[in-house]
Amino acid sequence: RKEVEQDPGPFNVPEGATVAFNCTYSNSASQSFFWYRQDCRKEPKLLMSVYSSGNEDGRFTAQLNRASQYISLLIRDSKLSDSATYLCVVNHLKGTYKYIFGTGTRLKVLA
Amino acid sequence: NAGVTQTPKFQVLKTGQSMTLQCAQDMNHEYMSWYRQDPGMGLRLIHYSVGAGITDQGEVPNGYNVSRSTTEDFPLRLLSAAPSQTSVYFCASSRTSGRVRPGELFFGEGSRLTVL
């Protein structure tokens, strides 16, 4: 079993739709959680960190469920420019800073 | 605003050749790492370092060497290239290490390596 698992998609949604992705992690000692965005043939870039109480950044909302060991990303009012691959990232060993990436979920927003 | 700089951006090697991918960051980050990205596999950690003189293995270290003689540089060496090492390689750095909460990873633009 992979340490961090994501549905690869693609998720094809119309503009304006709301879409949600989940990511599960296997190590209960995982400390920090992030969502990264990667455009085709580009480097990943931080979209948002995920905090225990959940957090929101504009149209994006991230949630953490430690009991069930998953994090989620909700995108409201999807834009064409949201089309990308969304990577779930977990840092699971205290003090050693090994960032483990999921394989990513591909999103295509259609006009 | 250089951030993380990787060179070369593209490279073609023959099986058995050796080469070094260079990575430099100008943000005084303690943490640096190398990933490879393959279709359907996501980013896999090759090696990482939490400071000058300290390196450790990630998920897929075989066939690669690293060293960290300075805070700024973290080169990745392919000892004897194999077709299985055809991939896109990313270097990434972060400002935090030790007991502080992990921070944002900053990535270089990637190095696309083909081994024939």
Side-chain angles (χ1 to χ4, degrees):
Chain A
R1 182 186 174 188
K2 292 182 181 178
E3 291 190 62
V4 180
E5 295 201 67
Q6 295 182 251
D7 181 341
F11 284 60
N12 297 322
V13 302
E15 266 188 296
T18 295
V19 62
F21 311 134
N22 280 347
C23 165
T24 59
Y25 59 95
S26 60
N27 192 322
S28 59
S30 298
Q31 272 196 304
S32 301
F33 309 88
F34 309 87
W35 284 102
Y36 277 71
R37 171 190 169 129
Q38 186 175 26
D39 294 299
C40 187
R41 301 179 69 81
K42 298 285 190 181
E43 73 274 21
K45 293 184 179 178
L46 180 69
L47 177 66
M48 57 197 304
S49 300
V50 185
Y51 301 120
S52 298
S53 56
N55 47 300
E56 190 173 302
D57 183 1
R59 298 181 294 108
F60 299 85
T61 301
Q63 297 279 354
L64 168 63
N65 186 318
R66 285 192 182 272
S68 301
Q69 295 184 199
Y70 75 85
I71 67 172
S72 64
L73 177 68
L74 181 78
I75 306 175
R76 291 182 299 277
D77 188 23
S78 299
K79 312 290 185 191
L80 292 175
S81 57
D82 293 333
S83 297
T85 297
Y86 291 84
L87 305 170
C88 171
V89 184
V90 172
N91 181 289
H92 72 287
L93 291 177
K94 188 174 182 179
T96 65
Y97 289 78
K98 290 174 69 172
Y99 296 78
I100 304 298
F101 282 73
T103 53
T105 297
R106 188 174 170 203
L107 172 66
K108 294 181 71 175
V109 181
L110 308 172
Chain B
N1 294 336
V4 179
T5 303
Q6 286 183 237
T7 57
K9 287 189 168 48
F10 300 93
Q11 182 72 49
V12 179
L13 290 178
K14 294 181 179 178
T15 296
Q17 288 184 314
S18 63
M19 76 157 299
T20 299
L21 298 177
Q22 302 290 345
C23 176
Q25 52 89 11
D26 61 359
M27 298 173 281
N28 202 32
H29 286 174
E30 293 175 300
Y31 179 87
M32 296 187 74
S33 55
W34 277 102
Y35 291 86
R36 60 176 289 174
Q37 186 172 35
D38 303 292
M41 302 290 289
L43 280 91
R44 292 182 291 169
L45 183 63
I46 304 172
H47 286 285
Y48 66 101
S49 168
V50 296
I54 306 168
T55 63
D56 207 346
Q57 296 181 348
E59 302 170 75
V60 288
N62 292 340
Y64 307 95
N65 273 359
V66 291
S67 59
R68 185 91 180 271
S69 55
T70 66
T71 299
E72 294 78 20
D73 300 298
F74 191 47
L76 178 72
R77 281 181 286 278
L78 280 71
L79 308 173
S80 177
S84 61
Q85 293 179 303
T86 294
S87 188
V88 180
Y89 291 84
F90 288 102
C91 178
S93 72
S94 171
R95 64 175 172 81
T96 55
S97 68
R99 297 194 180 119
V100 182
R101 181 187 177 89
E104 176 183 356
L105 271 178
F106 291 84
F107 283 83
E109 293 182 338
S111 299
R112 285 162 176 76
L113 175 67
T114 301
V115 182
L116 302 175

